[in-house]
Amino acid sequence: MPAKSLSSSGSRAPLPEAEHIVVIGAMGSGKTTVGERLAVALGRVFHDSDRSIETQTGRSGREIAETDGVDALHRLEKEVLLDSLSVEQPA
C-alpha cells in the first residue's frame, strides 16, 4: 500500500513511491525528529542537511550564520540539498 499524505484540505493523497521527501521549517521546529520518524515509517534513508553541513565545515549552521552571514549558510544548505536530491534512491 503506498504511503499517504495529508493535503491542505485534510484528505489523504498517495505519495509517489520513487520521489524524495523534503522536510522544511525554521530552526528548532522539529525537522530532524519528523524526518527520522518519516524515514523509518517509509523504510527510507534519512539525510540531515544540518549534519552534512557540520561534517563538511566543522561548524554548525548557527555558527556559520553568525560568522559568515545567513546568505553563506543558505548557499551551503542549497548545495547540500541539491546533492541529496541528485541521489537516485529516494530519501
Side-chain angles (χ1 to χ4, degrees):
M1 179 173 175
K4 305 270 184 184
S5 69
L6 287 178
S7 69
S8 59
S9 66
S11 62
R12 296 215 176 254
L15 287 173
E17 292 189 34
E19 298 289 332
H20 291 282
I21 298 171
V22 178
V23 179
I24 60 172
M27 273 194 235
S29 64
K31 298 177 298 292
T32 298
T33 301
V34 169
E36 287 172 340
R37 290 180 182 176
L38 189 58
V40 168
L42 298 176
R44 294 188 177 190
V45 176
F46 175 68
H47 295 275
D48 186 324
S49 62
D50 291 340
R51 289 182 193 153
S52 295
I53 288 170
E54 286 184 30
T55 298
Q56 289 177 14
T57 66
R59 299 184 293 163
S60 70
R62 187 176 306 279
E63 291 171 317
I64 294 167
E66 289 173 357
T67 59
D68 302 347
V70 175
D71 289 341
L73 173 60
H74 289 171
R75 281 191 297 278
L76 285 168
E77 289 172 329
K78 179 182 174 182
E79 288 174 23
V80 167
L81 176 60
L82 291 175
D83 285 347
S84 292
L85 292 175
S86 71
V87 175
E88 205 169 306
Q89 179 184 0

